Amino acid sequence: MTEKIIEGLQFIVTQLDQQSDGHLIQSRIFASQGLTKLAEKYAEHAEEERGYVIKCIDRIIDLGGEVKLEDKKSAPV
């Protein structure tokens, strides 16, 4: 059962990390267009998502699992 939990958490880490990166990039694009409030909002989303990634990583470690930096698919921003 622990293996399944670790696999699920690893999936969340990989996917949410990708999403966080996307929000950070989009934030910088908005900032370059002078859309300051939107840029800040997207930067906040990225930071919040990073917080969840950290919690999942910590839980994997608590369960004795090995955290992996997995390949991510490219996606348009």
Side-chain angles (χ1 to χ4, degrees):
M1 182 67 154
T2 303
E3 290 275 333
K4 292 274 188 199
I5 293 170
I6 291 171
E7 286 177 26
L9 289 169
Q10 180 63 58
F11 178 80
I12 291 169
V13 166
T14 301
Q15 298 304 312
L16 198 52
D17 187 50
Q18 174 86 355
Q19 186 171 323
S20 177
D21 288 346
H23 280 138
L24 182 61
I25 292 167
Q26 189 64 57
S27 168
R28 302 317 311 146
I29 292 169
F30 286 144
S32 75
Q33 297 170 341
L35 303 169
T36 309
K37 285 188 177 185
L38 202 50
E40 290 172 1
K41 185 172 186 112
Y42 271 71
E44 289 171 5
H45 285 310
E47 187 176 330
E48 180 181 15
E49 290 160 349
R50 280 284 182 225
Y52 291 123
V53 169
I54 290 168
K55 287 180 182 182
C56 289
I57 289 169
D58 289 346
R59 185 65 181 133
I60 291 170
I61 293 168
D62 287 345
L63 292 171
E66 180 181 338
V67 183
K68 301 173 191 132
L69 181 60
E70 297 179 321
D71 291 335
K72 302 171 198 165
K73 294 182 181 180
S74 65
V77 179

